[in-house]
Amino acid sequence: GENSKMGVVSRQLLPDWAVLDGSLTTKLPPMVTAATGIDAMVHAIEAYTSKIKKNDLSDLLAKEALRLLGGNIEHVCINGNDQQARSDMLLGSLYAGMAFANAPVG
């Protein structure tokens, strides 16, 4: 409906492989880098505070995602060519998505 947010879930939509290559993100403008980093952080926070299917794995993934994202977002927005920071942001984003998938919010 108009007031509900719904996702599409299917095993057919799950990838067999994911490639995280920070060099593919170095040309992103700082505002896009900041916005996508904050979005990933929000997913981690939602997973960590979920009351529905919160579990030890989702908590571990969410905390590590926040550590990686929070520890790199400001730096990578200033120095977008830092490959290690870009890689840490991608890994944090992956962990945030995994946490979110393991502790869906209502």
Side-chain angles (χ1 to χ4, degrees):
E2 287 183 36
N3 296 321
S4 63
K5 180 178 177 181
M6 299 178 66
V8 177
V9 179
S10 170
R11 286 198 177 274
Q12 295 169 323
L13 298 176
L14 296 175
D16 293 325
W17 293 89
V19 177
L20 304 178
D21 184 351
S23 70
L24 299 175
T25 67
T26 57
K27 301 290 188 218
L28 287 175
M31 289 296 289
V32 174
T33 298
T36 56
I38 291 168
D39 187 51
M41 291 173 80
V42 168
H43 282 113
I45 292 166
E46 286 180 312
Y48 191 73
T49 59
S50 173
K51 293 186 183 345
I52 299 173
K53 293 184 180 179
K54 182 178 173 71
N55 58 74
D56 291 341
L57 175 61
S58 65
D59 282 355
L60 178 72
L61 290 165
K63 286 192 280 189
E64 184 62 9
L66 288 169
R67 184 187 73 77
L68 289 166
L69 294 163
N72 288 285
I73 192 167
E74 184 176 5
H75 174 73
V76 81
C77 287
I78 295 167
N79 182 0
N81 291 321
D82 185 325
Q83 291 298 310
Q84 186 60 53
R86 288 281 180 182
S87 294
D88 288 348
M89 291 290 290
L90 281 174
L91 188 58
S93 178
L94 173 69
Y95 289 163
M98 292 170 67
F100 193 82
N102 278 284
V105 296

